[in-house]
Amino acid sequence: MPRKMGSKEYMDYVEKYVVQTYHPLPIVYSRGEGVWIWDPEGKRYMEMLSCYSTMGLGHPAHPEVLRAFVTQAKKVGISSGAFYNEQLGPFAKELAEFCQMAKVLPMNSGVEAVERAIKIARKWGYVVKGIERDKAEIIVCENNFHGRTITVISFSANPKYKEYFGPFTPGFVIIPFGNLQALEKAINKNTAAFLVEPIQGEGGVIVPPDGYLKKAREICQKHNVLFILDEVQTGLGRCGKRFAYEYEDAKPDILILGKFLGGGLGKVSAAVCSEKTAGVLAYPEDGSTFSAQPESLAAARMALKILVRDKLAENAFEVGNYFMKRLREIRSPLIKEVRGRGLLVAIEFKPEAGGARKFAERLVQEGIACKETHQYVIRFAPPLIIKKEEIDWALKRIKKVLAT
Ligand code: PLP
């Protein structure tokens, strides 16, 4: 019988053989059930990160998503854009209808969908708006996170993501997040688009002032600038509505989705286009071998069905508000603020508390799988199926860690 490996050995292998671009906390995911995961030694943890919002239905994959995925995977492999398959059309129709948008450009990862939104915006700028060729500008925000390709880190505000990777892609203008005057001031005749996260997830779960998105959209419309929302992390129920922009009725010209789009099993992202942007890209201006894997699309279709049928956004709204309310009741001199929307929740610690990493490590010891984001913030993003009793279980441990 092959020798059984333990957590330490799995972690040692990663250290030795994997290029270390992450700083993982010491849990080896071995198996899961709903909001729970177990390591190889049988220790149980509550999933409070959900692979940065990807595992909305918990672990392992939801049985219906798994069935849809496997049924399709048994039928045919990847067909490429050279031919049609039985999933792409229905997936695009269902997603477009779900988003109330016109067309879908499927991709694999979040950052690829962001890249496509940038391509669409630039071409739209040249052929529709009439910007002089190669002069298009896209406005983005300080403290953004849109992924890690060279173009996307070109406008990252985090020096650690870009220090050694220049030269960078030009054509981006960075303004403060949440500042409408800065947006209006940054717009000029070459501005093609404003690209923004409705809530900055990686940036520390920063919720902009009320009315910001709606007003930003109006400013964009007034100046003939595309309004692009990156809802890779905040979309599909996470923030207690189908999309975070719905809190302000700020529907974008391009909506970028990823993570939970594949239902926690498929690997699929999308740039979802309004009528205004749907016809901009044409053959052969884009493509990707893996961008429409039939089994991933089958998983995504089932996940969308479950999201609506099981009222997961509504659950995220109710349980998320309960979670935030109970966190705010904790009287701790270490906490600066509790904030978030739906089940995207953060505790920001005061600087004198000594950094969020040590609290994440203590929470892991107590059986909560969560992680710090930025120096002083812990983000909680449990599966959308989580119940109040399970939140109570977590609250008990969070209180204990904050009290010691
Ligand atoms: N956009 C946002 C808002 C994200 O949070 C992320 C990932 O965390 C991305 C884009 C990049 O997605 P991916 O890691 O799938 O490329």
Side-chain angles (χ1 to χ4, degrees):
M1 236 175 52
R3 189 175 56 87
K4 207 163 176 291
M5 284 169 68
S7 288
K8 171 139 187 356
E9 220 172 346
Y10 284 118
M11 292 190 264
D12 288 347
Y13 269 38
V14 170
E15 190 107 337
K16 185 154 184 222
Y17 296 110
V18 179
V19 176
Q20 293 290 295
T21 60
Y22 281 95
H23 183 29
L25 284 143
I27 307 176
V28 176
Y29 277 40
S30 177
R31 71 183 178 87
E33 203 179 305
V35 301
W36 302 102
I37 43 165
W38 283 263
D39 71 11
E41 287 74 31
K43 179 167 177 188
R44 187 178 78 152
Y45 300 86
M46 182 177 280
E47 170 63 273
M48 281 294 227
L49 186 61
S50 306
C51 181
Y52 305 97
S53 299
T54 305
M55 301 306 294
L57 293 165
H59 293 272
H62 187 285
E64 288 171 281
V65 173
L66 183 61
R67 200 174 314 124
F69 183 96
V70 170
T71 305
Q72 178 57 46
K74 281 182 172 167
K75 284 181 71 180
V76 71
I78 294 162
S79 55
S80 88
F83 307 103
Y84 294 85
N85 65 58
E86 292 176 349
Q87 292 296 337
L88 180 56
F91 160 77
K93 175 181 188 290
E94 287 159 22
L95 181 60
E97 285 173 1
F98 181 85
C99 302
Q100 297 180 315
M101 302 279 270
K103 281 191 179 184
V104 168
L105 179 62
M107 277 292 137
N108 309 282
S109 62
V111 74
E112 288 171 287
V114 172
E115 289 263 358
R116 272 40 184 212
I118 292 168
K119 283 174 83 171
I120 294 168
R122 284 184 169 183
K123 184 174 174 194
W124 177 89
Y126 301 129
V127 303
V128 180
K129 182 165 174 171
I131 296 172
E132 190 186 331
R133 194 64 56 87
D134 295 340
K135 291 277 191 328
E137 289 178 7
I138 294 176
I139 300 171
V140 296
C141 288
E142 282 170 6
N143 198 43
N144 71 69
F145 185 82
H146 297 283
R148 311 279 199 144
T149 56
I150 292 289
T151 286
V152 172
I153 62 163
S154 298
F155 54 87
S156 169
N158 188 335
K160 290 203 181 124
Y161 295 163
K162 57 195 295 191
E163 189 176 1
Y164 300 110
F165 308 115
F168 298 114
T169 308
F172 299 96
V173 176
I174 303 178
I175 61 166
F177 182 59
N179 186 327
L180 293 163
Q181 286 85 7
L183 173 61
E184 195 133 32
K185 207 165 143 220
I187 293 174
N188 62 49
K189 66 178 183 356
N190 294 330
T191 308
F194 175 44
L195 165 65
V196 65
E197 299 154 86
I199 293 172
Q200 292 187 324
E202 294 303 301
V205 188
I206 310 292
V207 184
D210 281 348
Y212 171 67
L213 295 175
K214 192 176 167 68
K215 196 81 200 32
R217 177 178 182 259
E218 281 166 22
I219 292 171
C220 288
Q221 278 176 340
K222 184 169 108 188
H223 295 280
N224 196 22
V225 165
L226 294 180
F227 180 56
I228 305 176
L229 283 181
D230 181 345
E231 292 237 25
V232 165
Q233 187 159 161
T234 55
L236 301 169
R238 170 58 49 193
C239 293
K241 305 246 180 218
R242 284 188 182 200
F243 301 108
Y245 79 74
E246 287 174 19
Y247 281 94
E248 298 196 358
D249 189 20
K251 196 170 169 183
D253 298 301
I254 305 175
L255 177 64
I256 305 167
L257 301 175
K259 296 198 190 279
F260 181 47
L261 184 59
L265 187 60
K267 286 89 191 159
V268 57
S269 64
V272 186
C273 299
S274 65
E275 288 292 348
K276 197 163 153 184
T277 53
V280 173
L281 284 192
Y283 174 77
E285 290 168 343
D286 201 52
S288 161
T289 302
F290 293 125
S291 68
Q293 302 165 48
E295 73 288 345
S296 285
L297 302 183
R301 293 175 65 198
M302 184 53 76
L304 284 181
K305 244 181 235 163
I306 295 170
L307 178 61
V308 176
R309 183 195 69 199
D310 295 357
K311 299 191 170 27
L312 296 183
E314 291 84 341
N315 189 62
F317 185 84
E318 198 188 319
V319 180
N321 281 344
Y322 173 75
F323 187 26
M324 273 186 281
K325 181 170 170 285
R326 296 291 312 276
L327 282 175
R328 286 186 182 121
E329 284 165 9
I330 300 175
R331 295 278 149 250
S332 166
L334 306 170
I335 297 179
K336 184 175 169 203
E337 190 184 30
V338 171
R339 58 174 177 258
R341 273 218 166 117
L343 284 170
L344 184 60
V345 174
I347 298 179
E348 179 168 348
F349 293 95
K350 291 181 183 158
E352 57 270 28
R357 176 79 183 187
K358 78 169 192 210
F359 292 100
E361 284 167 358
R362 298 264 305 287
L363 286 165
V364 164
Q365 282 166 8
E366 291 297 324
I368 294 183
C370 65
K371 196 171 185 298
E372 81 284 1
T373 171
H374 277 224
Q375 206 179 346
Y376 302 120
V377 179
I378 287 191
R379 166 183 33 192
F380 297 102
L384 305 177
I385 54 168
I386 198 164
K387 301 189 187 82
K388 281 186 186 161
E389 306 83 83
E390 289 159 339
I391 288 289
D392 287 339
W393 185 96
L395 280 161
K396 223 183 261 172
R397 273 112 194 130
I398 294 167
K399 272 187 207 158
K400 182 177 164 196
V401 165
L402 290 172
T404 51

